Coordinates of all heavy atoms in Angstrom, one line a residue:
T212 N -59.6 -3.6 -12.3 CA -60.4 -4.5 -11.5 C -60.2 -4.2 -10.0 O -61.0 -4.6 -9.2 CB -60.2 -5.9 -11.8 OG1 -58.8 -6.2 -11.6 CG2 -60.6 -6.3 -13.3
T213 N -59.0 -3.6 -9.7 CA -58.8 -3.2 -8.3 C -58.4 -1.8 -8.2 O -58.1 -1.2 -9.3 CB -57.6 -4.1 -7.7 OG1 -56.4 -3.7 -8.4 CG2 -57.9 -5.6 -7.9
R214 N -58.3 -1.2 -7.0 CA -57.9 0.2 -6.8 C -56.6 0.4 -7.4 O -56.3 1.4 -8.1 CB -58.0 0.5 -5.4 CG -57.7 2.0 -5.0 CD -57.6 2.2 -3.5 NE -57.5 3.6 -3.2 CZ -58.6 4.5 -3.1 NH1 -59.8 4.0 -3.3 NH2 -58.4 5.7 -2.8
N215 N -55.6 -0.4 -7.1 CA -54.3 -0.2 -7.5 C -54.1 -0.4 -9.0 O -53.3 0.3 -9.7 CB -53.3 -1.1 -6.8 CG -53.1 -0.6 -5.3 OD1 -52.7 0.6 -5.1 ND2 -53.4 -1.4 -4.4
E216 N -54.8 -1.3 -9.6 CA -54.8 -1.5 -11.1 C -55.4 -0.2 -11.7 O -54.9 0.2 -12.8 CB -55.6 -2.7 -11.5 CG -54.8 -4.0 -11.2 CD -55.6 -5.2 -11.6 OE1 -56.7 -5.1 -12.3 OE2 -55.2 -6.4 -11.3
T217 N -56.4 0.4 -11.1 CA -57.0 1.6 -11.7 C -55.9 2.7 -11.7 O -55.8 3.5 -12.6 CB -58.2 2.0 -10.8 OG1 -59.2 1.0 -11.0 CG2 -58.8 3.3 -11.3
I218 N -55.2 2.8 -10.6 CA -54.1 3.8 -10.5 C -53.1 3.6 -11.6 O -52.6 4.5 -12.2 CB -53.5 3.9 -9.1 CG1 -54.5 4.4 -8.1 CG2 -52.3 4.8 -9.1 CD1 -54.1 4.3 -6.6
M219 N -52.7 2.3 -11.8 CA -51.7 2.0 -12.8 C -52.3 2.3 -14.2 O -51.5 2.7 -15.1 CB -51.4 0.5 -12.7 CG -50.6 0.1 -11.5 SD -49.1 1.0 -11.3 CE -49.4 1.7 -9.7
N220 N -53.6 2.2 -14.4 CA -54.2 2.6 -15.7 C -53.9 4.1 -15.9 O -53.7 4.6 -17.0 CB -55.6 2.3 -15.7 CG -55.9 0.8 -16.0 OD1 -55.0 0.0 -16.1 ND2 -57.2 0.5 -16.2
S221 N -54.0 4.9 -14.8 CA -53.8 6.3 -15.0 C -52.4 6.6 -15.3 O -52.1 7.5 -16.2 CB -54.2 7.0 -13.7 OG -53.2 6.9 -12.7
I222 N -51.5 5.9 -14.7 CA -50.0 6.1 -15.1 C -49.7 5.7 -16.5 O -49.0 6.3 -17.2 CB -49.1 5.3 -14.1 CG1 -49.3 5.9 -12.7 CG2 -47.7 5.4 -14.5 CD1 -48.6 5.2 -11.6
A223 N -50.4 4.6 -17.0 CA -50.2 4.1 -18.3 C -50.7 5.2 -19.3 O -50.1 5.5 -20.4 CB -50.9 2.8 -18.6
F224 N -51.8 5.9 -18.9 CA -52.4 6.9 -19.8 C -51.4 8.1 -19.8 O -51.2 8.7 -20.9 CB -53.7 7.4 -19.2 CG -54.3 8.6 -19.9 CD1 -55.0 8.4 -21.1 CD2 -54.1 9.9 -19.4 CE1 -55.5 9.5 -21.8 CE2 -54.7 11.0 -20.1 CZ -55.4 10.8 -21.3
I225 N -50.8 8.5 -18.7 CA -49.9 9.6 -18.6 C -48.7 9.2 -19.5 O -48.2 10.1 -20.3 CB -49.4 9.8 -17.2 CG1 -50.6 10.3 -16.3 CG2 -48.2 10.8 -17.1 CD1 -50.3 10.4 -14.8
E226 N -48.2 8.0 -19.4 CA -47.1 7.5 -20.2 C -47.4 7.6 -21.7 O -46.6 8.0 -22.6 CB -46.7 6.1 -19.8 CG -45.4 5.7 -20.5 CD -44.8 4.4 -19.8 OE1 -45.6 3.7 -19.2 OE2 -43.6 4.1 -20.0
S227 N -48.7 7.2 -22.1 CA -49.1 7.3 -23.5 C -49.1 8.7 -24.0 O -48.9 8.9 -25.2 CB -50.5 6.6 -23.7 OG -51.5 7.5 -23.2
E228 N -49.2 9.7 -23.1 CA -49.2 11.1 -23.6 C -47.8 11.6 -23.6 O -47.6 12.8 -23.9 CB -50.0 11.9 -22.6 CG -51.5 11.7 -22.7 CD -52.3 12.8 -22.1 OE1 -51.9 13.4 -21.1 OE2 -53.4 13.2 -22.7
G229 N -46.8 10.8 -23.2 CA -45.4 11.2 -23.2 C -45.0 12.1 -22.0 O -44.0 12.8 -22.1
N230 N -45.8 12.0 -20.9 CA -45.6 12.9 -19.8 C -45.1 12.2 -18.5 O -45.1 12.8 -17.4 CB -46.8 13.7 -19.5 CG -47.2 14.7 -20.6 OD1 -46.3 15.3 -21.1 ND2 -48.4 14.9 -20.9
L231 N -44.7 10.9 -18.7 CA -44.3 10.2 -17.5 C -42.8 10.3 -17.4 O -42.0 9.9 -18.2 CB -44.6 8.7 -17.6 CG -44.2 7.9 -16.4 CD1 -45.0 8.4 -15.1 CD2 -44.5 6.4 -16.6
N232 N -42.3 11.0 -16.3 CA -40.9 11.2 -16.1 C -40.6 11.2 -14.6 O -41.6 11.1 -13.8 CB -40.3 12.4 -16.8 CG -41.1 13.7 -16.4 OD1 -41.2 14.0 -15.2 ND2 -41.7 14.4 -17.4
E233 N -39.4 11.5 -14.2 CA -39.1 11.4 -12.8 C -39.7 12.5 -11.9 O -39.7 12.5 -10.7 CB -37.6 11.5 -12.6 CG -36.8 10.3 -13.2 CD -35.3 10.4 -13.0 OE1 -34.9 11.4 -12.5 OE2 -34.6 9.4 -13.3
D234 N -40.3 13.5 -12.6 CA -41.0 14.6 -11.9 C -42.5 14.5 -11.9 O -43.1 15.4 -11.2 CB -40.5 16.0 -12.5 CG -39.0 16.2 -12.3 OD1 -38.5 15.9 -11.3 OD2 -38.4 16.7 -13.3
T235 N -43.1 13.6 -12.5 CA -44.5 13.5 -12.6 C -45.1 13.1 -11.3 O -44.7 12.1 -10.7 CB -44.9 12.4 -13.7 OG1 -44.3 12.7 -14.9 CG2 -46.4 12.4 -13.9
I236 N -46.1 13.9 -10.9 CA -46.8 13.6 -9.6 C -48.3 13.3 -9.9 O -48.9 13.9 -10.8 CB -46.8 14.9 -8.7 CG1 -45.3 15.2 -8.3 CG2 -47.7 14.7 -7.5 CD1 -44.6 14.2 -7.5
I237 N -48.9 12.3 -9.2 CA -50.3 12.1 -9.3 C -50.9 12.3 -7.9 O -50.4 11.8 -6.9 CB -50.6 10.6 -9.8 CG1 -49.9 9.6 -9.0 CG2 -50.2 10.5 -11.3 CD1 -50.4 8.1 -9.4
V238 N -52.1 12.9 -7.9 CA -52.8 13.1 -6.7 C -54.1 12.3 -6.8 O -55.0 12.6 -7.6 CB -53.2 14.6 -6.5 CG1 -54.0 14.9 -5.2 CG2 -51.9 15.5 -6.5
T239 N -54.1 11.1 -6.1 CA -55.2 10.2 -6.3 C -56.3 10.5 -5.2 O -56.0 10.7 -4.0 CB -54.7 8.7 -6.2 OG1 -54.4 8.4 -4.9 CG2 -53.5 8.5 -7.1
H240 N -57.5 10.4 -5.6 CA -58.6 10.8 -4.7 C -59.9 10.0 -5.0 O -60.2 9.7 -6.2 CB -58.9 12.3 -4.9 CG -59.8 12.8 -3.8 ND1 -59.6 12.9 -2.5 CD2 -61.1 13.4 -4.0 CE1 -60.6 13.4 -1.8 NE2 -61.5 13.7 -2.7
D241 N -60.6 9.7 -3.9 CA -61.9 9.0 -4.1 C -62.9 9.9 -4.7 O -63.1 11.1 -4.2 CB -62.4 8.5 -2.7 CG -61.5 7.5 -2.0 OD1 -60.9 6.7 -2.7 OD2 -61.4 7.6 -0.8
S242 N -63.7 9.5 -5.7 CA -64.7 10.3 -6.3 C -65.8 10.7 -5.4 O -66.6 11.6 -5.6 CB -65.3 9.6 -7.5 OG -65.9 8.4 -7.2
V243 N -66.0 9.9 -4.3 CA -67.1 10.1 -3.3 C -66.6 10.8 -2.1 O -67.2 10.7 -1.0 CB -67.7 8.8 -2.9 CG1 -68.6 8.3 -4.1 CG2 -66.7 7.7 -2.5
R244 N -65.5 11.6 -2.2 CA -65.1 12.6 -1.2 C -65.2 14.0 -1.7 O -64.1 14.6 -2.1 CB -63.7 12.3 -0.7 CG -63.5 11.0 0.1 CD -62.1 10.9 0.7 NE -61.9 9.6 1.3 CZ -62.1 9.3 2.6 NH1 -62.6 10.2 3.4 NH2 -61.8 8.1 3.1
P245 N -66.4 14.5 -1.9 CA -66.5 15.8 -2.5 C -66.2 17.1 -1.7 O -66.2 18.2 -2.2 CB -68.0 15.9 -2.9 CG -68.7 15.1 -1.8 CD -67.7 14.0 -1.5
F246 N -65.8 16.8 -0.4 CA -65.5 18.0 0.5 C -64.0 18.2 0.7 O -63.6 18.9 1.6 CB -66.2 17.8 1.8 CG -67.7 17.6 1.7 CD1 -68.3 16.4 1.9 CD2 -68.5 18.7 1.4 CE1 -69.7 16.3 1.7 CE2 -69.9 18.6 1.2 CZ -70.5 17.4 1.4
V247 N -63.2 17.6 -0.2 CA -61.7 17.9 -0.1 C -61.5 19.4 -0.3 O -62.2 20.0 -1.1 CB -61.0 17.0 -1.1 CG1 -61.4 17.4 -2.6 CG2 -59.5 17.1 -0.9

């Protein structure tokens, strides 16, 4: 429901895949910034 809750959902997904550890990096980006 919020931006940060959305990011937390992504981390929960990563954890569900068994890939959340001390080295896991996430690069978060707005979907409406297509010129990155």
Side-chain angles (χ1 to χ4, degrees):
T212 57
T213 67
R214 183 185 188 87
N215 288 303
E216 285 180 9
T217 296
I218 294 174
M219 291 305 121
N220 280 9
S221 75
I222 295 175
F224 175 82
I225 293 168
E226 190 167 19
S227 73
E228 290 199 322
N230 292 321
L231 183 63
N232 55 55
E233 294 181 355
D234 297 321
T235 305
I236 297 296
I237 57 172
V238 180
T239 72
H240 187 63
D241 298 324
S242 63
V243 287
R244 288 188 190 269
F246 302 107
V247 64

